[in-house]
Amino acid sequence: MNVTRLVNHVHKGTELRIVRRGASILAVVAVALGGAWLGIVLGAHIQTPVGPADIGMSLRPSMSGETVVDVRPLGTLGFDTHNSPLRLDLTFDGVHPEVAQQILDNPRWADRLPQAIETDLQDGLRRLVIQSVAFAVLGAALAGLVVFRGLRKAAWAGLTGLLAVALIAGLSAATFNAKSISEPRYTGLLTGVPSLIGDAESIVTRFSEYRGQLAKLVTNVSQLYQAGSTLPLFKPDPDTIRVLHVSDIHLNPVAWNIIRSLRGQFKINLIIDTGDISDHGTKAENKFMEEIGDLRVPYVFVRGNHDSKTTERAVARQKNAIVLNGTSATVAGLRIYGIGDPRFTPDKATEPISNEKLAEIGATHASRVVPPEWPRPPSTSAPDRIPADIVAVHDPTMGRPFSGKVALILSGHVHDRSTELLPTGTRLMIQGSTGGAGLRGLEHEEPTPFMASVLYFRKSDGRLQAWDDITLGGLGQQSVQIERHLETDPARTINPESPASSPPTGAGGRTPTPSTLAG
């Protein structure tokens, strides 16, 4: 009987030691994995030069293995490159203008650039892996030392961390999918309801071609600053009012990046958007308008033919937005009269409005507007007219009737920039598409460029002094151009009617600007 008890006691002691040993091993493994995870989060980050850019590379734990390339302002590209609990992130951290300029000046650089980028990326990945392993092992060992307060278990935790990293690396290599590079997930520019995409196959094909032109995109910032040195002399005084004119964003998130950049670089006082911020005017698109609230400057908006009343209300809800529709407002010292487009093109159930009818609607509104310098009507029975420095409309067809009633008319709609000095002294400015005409801009042979203009106004009389036309090449192109124009006679008289002797508008009255900058 005593022997039996002794045997049972030995068995229980053995089982207890096994349980304790198992629990100890599990504790070491858990602490090691936690420390390795923390080490990767804190230390698996490097910055490496890739061509003219500094690329940030980082690893982080993830439920599914993937590689994400942040190519803002275009958006992000996701690739299912591997199946392991690690995600690789690549981001643009900066551009070296001097290197970018060398690439622009030397055509041979462009031929060597893809190979140079591949080599730089491989070197960066090698450094990232080595640094990640070091931080993972160090994190696991330190966690073991803190938890178990012993060098032996800390060493075992470090070894466990090394084995875990080796296992993950092996799993990543074994499941690497080279074909994933041709099957990316787009977030940003190409995100949208399938009905908005158009010919999806052609867009995806073209976008795949553009991936090889990443080196060209990173030179845009350098070109933007290089172009500044060639501008005609105009030095705004501290009281100058700077207005950013945008139009036809067409639900393209790239436009917000451009607008935010220009707002900061040019110290913009207010933004005027002449419509078509949306594409279909649906309630689902309203969230896109929330970006307006983050711009931190007044945002004057008139509805375009792709904007519904729902869109208009979504814009109006933004704290810095001023929506004009047959109304006027004084913003940053400028008196602005705006009209929303009476059409809503996506609604095919309504009868189209002809250009003649648009001109009639414009003329009705124009009868209410006068230049600020005009005297008030002497007759007390006549209603007071609305003084305006600027009239904002979407379609220039509605804007032309304001000729002789205001110094400046801003419009959009045609996706092609131009400016025209009318015989009455009124200047008509038509903006291109700040959103590159949205998704449809990729369906043409040449991508539609992104356009915006910075207008400089004299505070004393609200008259235009000069303007900078800024054009960024469409997706996949590297062109950036700034054209400065000076108003030859800012204080000119605005005549209510065209003089009979005035010559027809031609080359002397029209300032051409390029609509395509592929060359």
Side-chain angles (χ1 to χ4, degrees):
M1 192 70 176
N2 291 333
V3 174
T4 303
R5 289 179 180 178
L6 180 62
V7 170
N8 290 337
H9 181 72
V10 170
H11 285 169
K12 288 181 179 179
T14 302
E15 291 175 357
L16 185 59
R17 283 194 299 271
I18 293 174
V19 171
R20 287 178 177 174
R21 177 64 61 87
S24 177
I25 292 174
L26 289 177
V28 170
V29 170
V31 170
L33 292 179
W37 177 85
L38 186 61
I40 290 176
V41 169
L42 296 177
H45 308 278
I46 68 165
Q47 188 181 79
T48 184
V50 177
D54 287 331
I55 301 296
M57 294 183 174
S58 62
L59 289 173
R60 63 174 177 173
S62 174
M63 295 299 294
S64 60
E66 63 177 342
T67 299
V68 176
V69 182
D70 192 333
V71 289
R72 294 177 185 174
L74 301 179
T76 60
L77 298 175
F79 304 92
D80 292 325
T81 52
H82 56 282
N83 290 323
S84 68
L86 276 183
R87 165 175 158 170
L88 172 63
D89 287 324
L90 304 177
T91 60
F92 280 92
D93 291 342
V95 177
H96 298 286
E98 65 281 359
V99 179
Q101 190 61 45
Q102 290 177 12
I103 295 173
L104 296 173
D105 295 339
N106 188 350
R108 294 183 180 179
W109 251 105
D111 297 332
R112 298 196 302 264
L113 199 55
Q115 182 61 41
I117 288 177
E118 183 178 350
T119 302
D120 292 341
L121 284 174
Q122 289 176 349
D123 291 342
L125 285 172
R126 192 176 300 112
R127 286 175 47 212
L128 178 64
V129 170
I130 294 173
Q131 184 168 314
S132 300
V133 171
F135 271 87
V137 173
L138 181 61
L142 288 176
L145 185 62
V146 171
V147 174
F148 302 114
R149 300 183 182 278
L151 292 178
R152 187 166 176 267
K153 286 192 175 181
W156 277 110
L159 180 60
T160 304
L162 178 61
L163 291 175
V165 171
L167 179 63
I168 292 173
L171 183 61
S172 300
T175 59
F176 177 71
N177 179 18
K179 294 182 180 179
S180 65
I181 196 70
S182 61
E183 297 176 344
R185 294 186 307 277
Y186 304 106
T187 303
L189 179 60
L190 295 184
T191 297
V193 183
S195 62
L196 303 180
I197 293 178
D199 187 357
E201 183 177 357
S202 67
I203 291 177
V204 170
T205 301
R206 292 172 63 81
F207 200 90
S208 299
E209 296 171 0
Y210 294 146
R211 288 200 308 268
Q213 302 185 33
L214 187 60
K216 296 181 180 180
L217 293 176
V218 299
T219 62
N220 280 356
V221 174
S222 304
Q223 287 183 295
L224 190 62
Y225 286 101
Q226 289 288 334
S229 62
T230 63
L231 299 178
L233 181 61
F234 172 70
K235 193 171 183 179
D237 61 53
D239 291 333
T240 298
I241 304 171
R242 301 164 187 248
V243 177
L244 179 62
H245 179 204
V246 301
S247 191
D248 296 87
I249 292 175
H250 284 292
L251 215 66
N252 191 340
V254 176
W256 296 128
N257 298 74
I258 295 172
I259 291 171
R260 278 192 293 267
S261 178
L262 295 177
R263 181 211 64 200
Q265 293 293 333
F266 289 86
K267 298 180 175 59
I268 297 300
N269 299 112
L270 74 121
I271 299 169
I272 298 179
D273 183 342
T274 47
D276 274 5
I277 192 173
S278 184
D279 223 356
H280 280 56
T282 62
K283 186 177 180 180
E285 297 169 281
N286 287 352
K287 188 171 181 60
F288 182 79
M289 318 308 160
E290 293 177 3
E291 294 281 350
I292 294 173
D294 296 330
L295 294 176
R296 300 196 301 274
V297 293
Y299 193 96
V300 177
F301 175 79
V302 293
R303 193 176 67 247
N305 62 295
H306 279 264
D307 302 322
S308 65
K309 291 294 182 66
T310 299
T311 305
E312 187 178 72
R313 288 191 292 269
V315 174
R317 284 195 292 270
Q318 308 312 309
K319 57 187 176 183
N320 56 324
I322 300 100
V323 174
L324 301 179
N325 187 14
T327 54
S328 65
T330 300
V331 187
L334 295 175
R335 290 157 288 196
I336 307 168
Y337 184 85
I339 316 170
D341 198 295
R343 301 165 297 178
F344 180 45
T345 306
D347 185 3
K348 305 303 180 183
T350 58
E351 184 177 350
I353 298 177
S354 66
N355 286 341
E356 290 76 11
K357 181 62 176 177
L358 280 180
E360 290 179 11
I361 295 172
T364 300
H365 284 273
S367 64
R368 306 172 58 197
V369 175
V370 295
E373 63 269 20
W374 282 19
R376 293 160 64 92
S379 172
T380 56
S381 61
D384 287 350
R385 302 294 178 90
I386 301 174
D389 301 305
I390 304 170
V391 165
V393 298
H394 178 62
D395 193 322
T397 303
M398 287 184 65
R400 289 185 179 275
F402 286 88
S403 177
K405 299 298 185 71
V406 69
L408 180 64
I409 305 167
L410 299 180
S411 66
H413 183 60
V414 298
H415 303 168
D416 192 13
R417 179 197 287 137
S418 65
T419 177
E420 183 177 354
L421 186 60
L422 304 176
T424 58
T426 296
R427 182 173 292 281
L428 171 64
M429 283 188 166
I430 304 174
Q431 186 58 271
S433 174
T434 310
L439 295 174
R440 63 181 63 80
L442 285 175
E443 296 179 334
H444 306 299
E445 184 176 349
E446 292 291 342
T448 304
F450 300 89
M451 296 184 177
S453 300
V454 178
L455 315 179
Y456 301 91
F457 291 85
R458 189 164 54 199
K459 187 175 183 179
S460 59
D461 58 4
R463 286 297 187 95
L464 182 68
Q465 302 290 293
W467 68 96
D468 293 335
D469 285 334
I470 302 168
T471 307
L472 291 86
L475 182 61
Q477 296 181 343
Q478 64 172 350
S479 57
V480 175
Q481 184 169 340
I482 305 177
E483 290 184 286
R484 172 154 294 174
H485 306 272
L486 303 180
E487 189 68 274
T488 54
D489 184 14
R492 64 185 177 277
T493 301
I494 306 302
N495 300 306
E497 295 180 0
S498 303
S501 59
S502 296
T505 303
R510 187 177 178 85
T511 306
T513 57
S515 60
T516 303
L517 297 173

